[in-house]
Each structure stands twice: as structure tokens, then as C-alpha cells.
Amino acid sequence: MAPPAFYHAHPDILVLETQVAHARPGRVLLAESPFYPGGGGQLPDRGMLRHRGGEVAVAGFEADGGRIWALLANPALELAGAVRAEVDPGFRQMMRELHTGTHILNAFVFQAFDGALVTGVQMNEDGTARMDFDVPQADNDRLRALEGPINDAIRQNLPVRDVYVPLETARGEHGLIRSKSAAPPPTEDGGIRIVEIAGLDRQACGGTHLSETGASRPVRILKIDNKGRHNRRVRIGLVNG
């Protein structure tokens, strides 16, 4: 298998001394990047690049020909040489908590509602997220009742890890690919990343996660919306304090 992306292989390394591989005004391609560029409903990392002339905020990311360019807040700046890439730790932590929380929610919905698939997901910068599920005629009270099991799983401090399997293996194993519309993009050699929460869940995902569920704040189910005959939208939020 091809080596995983840096943010998958080293999720706790948020500061990295690296080199500019290619540069254009307002954008840069790093030799190695700690930044998660976004995808699968997870927002991209925020952060800074420190260079010999000062520092510049990273304003976003753009894929081009299989490479991920970091977009700079200064569109005229063209960098070269060594840089120090710094991921915003608070924002990354919140995204890891939310993404792990959506997997726990997904696990219980999948178990309770006969393998219900995900039809959409979005994590937000205010510490909330929403997941849409294909659950025809679902009892919303049963969905609300999942808040207790979700927080039990957080308190149990279950280990979270990832493995890579061939794409055909992922397609052939029931429940590994949970999205009704798409799967995470495979690696160059056809591998799919599987995120496992010990004893609870195993599914394909390309996002960043906690290394154990206990590193998350508690989760509340904030609202459940009926989106048509089949779709239920479950909104969750991290509890502060």
C-alpha cells in the first residue's frame, strides 16, 4: 500500500518544518504537509505558514492534478525555501471530536435501523454537526434515545485506529462503505482507509479522528428534522464545560 497522508500517519503532529516544493503567487505546494484539506463533510484545517520574511495564514486548499495546494491569505505572496507549517490545534481538535462523534452516531443508527445509510454529513465551525440518514418512517424518539449510548461509548474511552484495505475488499464487506452516494477516494494503489472504533464500528473514512473516544467532550442530540419520507437529519453538538 502507498504511504498514508501525513495528517493520517501523524495526526498529533501539528507543527512541521518542511520545504516549498512548488510555488505560485498566493499558493504553495509543500514537500510534506500536516494540513487536512477537508472532505467528507469535515472542514479543512486552519493554520499558518511561517517563512523567512514573516508569516501568512492558510486560507484554504485546492486540488490540482492529484496535488493539494495551500492557498495563502496574501494572494500576491510567492514563497520559497524552508517554511514552518502550523495547524490550529483547537480547530483540529474540534473537528476530530465531531468526526469521531458522527461515527459513533452512525454506528448506533446503522445497528438500530437495519443498516441505514448516510445520505449527507456536515461538520460546522461552531462545534455542531448534522448527519442525514435514509431511515423511512423512523420513530424520531428512537433516534433521540441514542444520545445515552453515544455518551456511554465516549466514556468507555474506546481505542480508535485506522487500517487500509483494497477497494474491492471494502466494497465486498457489508457495512464498510456507509454513504449512499460516495466512498472516500482510494489511495494511488487502490487502498481504502478504514476507521475502527474498538468493539463498536468499522467504516471507510478519509477524515481525522481522535485516538480514543474519551478524548471527546460529551455530545448532545440537538434536533431531528424530517427531510422527506426517507430522510432524517440528526443534529448533534459538543457540550462545553
Side-chain angles (χ1 to χ4, degrees):
M1 290 288 180
F6 187 92
Y7 49 81
H8 285 156
H10 309 285
D12 296 314
I13 297 179
L14 304 183
V15 178
L16 181 66
E17 304 289 345
T18 185
Q19 294 283 327
V20 171
H22 299 282
R24 300 171 187 166
R27 62 180 56 204
V28 64
L29 185 68
L30 300 176
E32 248 187 337
S33 173
F35 297 108
Y36 177 68
Q42 181 177 334
L43 297 175
D45 278 333
R46 298 173 178 177
M48 303 285 295
L49 291 178
R50 302 192 188 277
H51 54 95
R52 61 189 176 193
E55 63 184 38
V56 62
V58 175
F61 302 90
E62 185 176 287
D64 180 15
R67 302 183 297 184
I68 304 294
W69 291 80
L71 308 181
L72 308 180
N74 180 348
L77 182 63
E78 189 164 351
L79 297 178
V83 294
R84 180 183 174 97
E86 299 182 0
V87 177
D88 181 325
F91 191 78
R92 166 70 75 84
Q93 173 67 16
M94 182 175 67
M95 286 296 110
R96 292 175 76 181
E97 290 180 65
L98 282 175
H99 211 149
T100 304
T102 60
H103 275 230
I104 297 171
L105 168 63
N106 189 349
F108 286 117
V109 171
F110 189 79
Q111 294 167 16
F113 293 92
D114 300 320
L117 295 178
V118 176
T119 57
V121 59
Q122 181 62 55
M123 286 152 250
N124 305 310
E125 60 185 13
D126 63 356
T128 66
R130 57 94 172 159
M131 293 195 81
D132 295 350
F133 296 96
D134 183 10
V135 280
Q137 301 176 339
D139 181 344
N140 288 353
D141 287 338
R142 286 181 64 200
L143 287 167
R144 291 187 189 95
L146 296 178
E147 182 178 297
I150 289 169
N151 286 300
D152 284 343
I154 290 172
R155 285 190 290 269
Q156 289 172 37
N157 200 28
L158 303 174
V160 182
R161 69 186 188 99
D162 60 9
V163 297
Y164 288 80
V165 303
L167 177 58
E168 291 308 311
T169 299
R171 286 175 173 165
E173 184 173 332
H174 177 66
L176 276 193
I177 298 177
R178 300 276 178 83
S179 174
K180 194 170 184 179
S181 59
T187 60
E188 292 180 1
D189 54 1
I192 286 285
R193 180 173 177 258
I194 306 298
V195 173
E196 300 180 344
I197 302 176
L200 177 66
D201 192 51
R202 190 167 183 260
Q203 63 174 286
C205 184
T208 62
H209 294 267
L210 301 170
S211 57
E212 59 278 320
T213 61
S216 176
R217 287 164 281 183
V219 167
R220 293 288 177 263
I221 293 181
L222 304 174
K223 188 178 181 182
I224 298 173
D225 295 316
N226 296 344
K227 296 292 183 178
R229 289 172 50 194
H230 285 260
N231 203 50
R232 295 294 184 275
R233 176 167 293 176
V234 182
R235 300 180 185 272
I236 65 172
L238 298 169
V239 178
N240 293 312

